[in-house]
Amino acid sequence: MIFIVGVNNHYIQYVKREKMYSAEFENCLVDKINKHSISLVAEELSKEAIDNRKHAIDSVARVTALSTSRKHLYADPDSKERELLRIPKDTLTCSDEDKAKYNHIREKEWLSRIKNQSCPNVLFICGCNHVDSFDSLLRNEGHQVKVLSTIYGI
């Protein structure tokens, strides 16, 4: 089963250089990991995104997965992978129709990467704008899905 947690701001996913991050978000993830017997914690993030983010050194999901002895997966394609998928570097200026198209490509990539892990229960963290469309894609592909939170962080 794939359990989805939507976040209203990706900033909450980062561990900062000062080692400060949201203990509340970490506690939320630990609770969901234990409650749903999660074996893989995956997220809409890439190692490259962390490396390019000023003051960021890690992701809260990765730290939490490691501390609970679970697998972790950065599911989002990095810039080279996006280029191969024909996703432009800057999608913020795209039309809504193009954004939806590129988001769908990314979401299909997330699913492919999750499938490659062969884990029975997955916790997936993504931006709140992906919750409904990713949920739909997963269900259409025959996966059991439960949305645990549509907008964490408000």
Side-chain angles (χ1 to χ4, degrees):
M1 175 166 286
I2 300 175
F3 298 89
I4 299 174
V5 172
V7 295
N8 72 325
N9 189 327
H10 289 293
Y11 188 75
I12 198 167
Q13 292 177 253
Y14 293 99
V15 175
K16 315 319 179 273
R17 290 196 193 288
E18 302 80 25
K19 303 276 187 197
M20 295 178 65
Y21 57 95
S22 172
E24 182 182 329
F25 186 52
E26 179 182 28
N27 292 337
C28 169
L29 295 180
V30 168
D31 178 61
K32 290 174 185 345
I33 287 167
N34 292 329
K35 183 176 182 180
H36 301 289
S37 302
I38 299 298
S39 51
L40 172 67
V41 179
E43 61 184 319
E44 177 195 357
L45 201 61
S46 68
K47 177 69 171 102
E48 179 185 59
I50 292 170
D51 293 342
N52 291 340
R53 184 86 179 207
K54 188 177 179 180
H55 304 295
I57 59 169
D58 213 332
S59 89
V60 175
R62 193 182 87 78
V63 168
T64 305
L66 294 176
S67 74
T68 57
S69 301
R70 297 330 196 268
K71 291 172 71 174
H72 174 266
L73 173 69
Y74 292 120
D76 210 33
D78 63 25
S79 59
K80 288 179 183 174
E81 294 164 331
R82 285 180 186 225
E83 190 176 319
L84 291 172
L85 294 168
R86 297 196 169 129
I87 300 172
K89 288 181 183 180
D90 181 16
T91 57
L92 296 176
T93 58
C94 292
S95 69
D96 288 345
E97 183 179 318
D98 282 345
K99 282 181 194 174
K101 178 177 85 173
Y102 298 131
N103 281 342
H104 184 71
I105 293 169
R106 288 174 56 217
E107 291 167 0
K108 286 175 65 175
E109 184 66 21
W110 301 342
L111 176 55
S112 173
R113 292 175 186 208
I114 289 168
K115 282 175 153 178
N116 287 338
Q117 298 296 311
S118 301
C119 293
N121 290 329
V122 177
L123 179 64
F124 192 82
I125 301 145
C126 61
C128 58
N129 60 317
H130 291 282
V131 171
D132 291 339
S133 55
F134 193 48
D135 175 37
S136 223
L137 171 66
L138 293 168
R139 289 177 193 281
N140 288 340
E141 293 284 328
H143 296 275
Q144 291 182 313
V145 183
K146 183 170 185 180
V147 175
L148 300 176
S149 170
T150 53
I151 306 177
Y152 179 87
I154 290 185

